[in-house]
Each structure stands twice: as structure tokens, then as C-alpha cells.
Amino acid sequence: AAQPAARATRRRRHTRGEATSMMHAAPRKNERTNEQTPRLLRTTQAIKHLAKDRDSKIAVVRAGAVPKLVGVLASGADGARRHAAAALFHVANNVDLKAGIVRAGAIAPLVRLLESSTVVSDATTEQAIDALWAIAHGNDDHKLRVAQAGAIPRLVAIWATSKARGRR
């Protein structure tokens, strides 16, 4: 049997700096190929942390971050989606700010994250569940909107799957 021909060129070893920059430039598995992904991830994470504070969450809303967070839910990478859902959860814990989240159209993309739980991570699905809970909690109109968006069958399916895997 014929032996495969040896490659005429050898791979060049990369310096640590080159390897690091290549690693950050390479798209991660299951993430959109987008050079803005690391920046989007860090920015969304920062907004999430700011939204935890009572006064800062008001500033986050006034700065117009809620519609941008909703946009990330619809088209961001998994990590950015997780942080966007968490930020909306924190903002929705302020009763006076919930309506703005609903007006920005957050319910439908949050429910879509539940529907795509095989594509997004469990952590992202859990943040979407938490955000939907916070939006609906204490507001009958928001509960109805979450139900009308199709969240209930998906939540039941996730619950059944989680029970089957031994999660509570």
C-alpha cells in the first residue's frame, strides 16, 4: 500500500499572543460568527450587573437598554442572550418598570428561548424562565400575555424533561 505523501510545509508554531488573539477571533461552537460577539457579551453582562441595583435599573431603563436587550434575545449569541434575559429579570423585579419591558416586546423572544431549549444552554433557558416569571408576577395582564405567547406548554415540557433527568 502506498504511504500518504508527507506535507511539504510544516505548521508554524504561534506565539502566545498570536494564539490568544486567534482564540478570541475564532467563533465558538453554537455561536453566531460575529466579530462583535465578545463585546456584545461583555456589554450585556455589564447591563445585567447594573440592573441588579435599585437605582441603576432605573438608569438602565432610562438609557434605552430594554429594547436593545430584547434585540439581543432575538439574535445574540447564547451567552449574550442569557445575560439579556437575566437583566430583564432584574429590571422586571421593579413593579413600575415591568410595563416597559412588555411594551418593548420582550415576552415573545423570551418564549422563543424556551422553544429553542435544545439550541441554547440550560442556563439561558433558566434565565428566560426567571424573566418571564418576574414579568408576570403580580400582574394579571402580563400573566395573560405570557400565556397567550405560548409559554405554558413549553414550560410544562421543560418541567417534564427536567423531572425525567432528575432535576427539580
Side-chain angles (χ1 to χ4, degrees):
Q3 300 255 345
R7 286 196 166 169
T9 59
R10 292 189 177 254
R11 287 187 169 178
R12 175 173 89 80
R13 290 199 164 204
H14 298 285
T15 66
R16 182 180 291 250
E18 288 174 325
T20 301
S21 73
M22 287 172 27
M23 185 173 62
H24 290 294
R28 294 187 178 118
K29 189 176 183 179
N30 295 328
E31 283 192 24
R32 294 171 52 121
T33 304
N34 181 348
E35 64 187 41
Q36 295 295 330
T37 297
R39 180 179 291 169
L40 177 65
L41 179 66
R42 289 191 307 273
T43 304
T44 310
Q45 187 176 28
I47 295 292
K48 173 190 76 173
H49 287 295
L50 289 168
K52 290 178 181 180
D53 177 70
R54 182 175 48 96
D55 294 330
S56 294
K57 71 178 68 183
I58 293 168
V60 163
V61 171
R62 285 186 180 154
V66 171
K68 293 179 184 349
L69 291 168
V70 172
V72 171
L73 291 174
S75 63
D78 183 52
R81 288 177 177 186
R82 180 177 65 250
H83 294 305
L88 291 170
F89 164 76
H90 293 301
V91 171
N93 280 313
N94 181 317
V95 175
D96 298 327
L97 302 177
K98 288 182 189 204
I101 295 170
V102 173
R103 276 193 307 274
I107 293 173
L110 286 166
V111 171
R112 279 193 296 274
L113 286 178
L114 303 181
E115 293 167 353
S116 63
S117 64
T118 58
V119 177
V120 299
S121 68
D122 285 349
T124 300
T125 301
E126 289 172 17
Q127 291 298 332
I129 292 168
D130 290 346
L132 287 167
W133 175 85
I135 290 166
H137 183 71
N139 187 308
D140 290 340
D141 179 55
H142 295 171
K143 287 177 190 174
L144 181 62
R145 289 177 186 227
V146 169
Q148 288 173 336
I152 294 172
R154 189 61 203 139
L155 289 167
V156 171
I158 291 169
W159 177 65
T161 303
S162 297
K163 282 187 71 170
R165 287 192 273 177
R167 293 183 184 171
R168 293 182 180 213

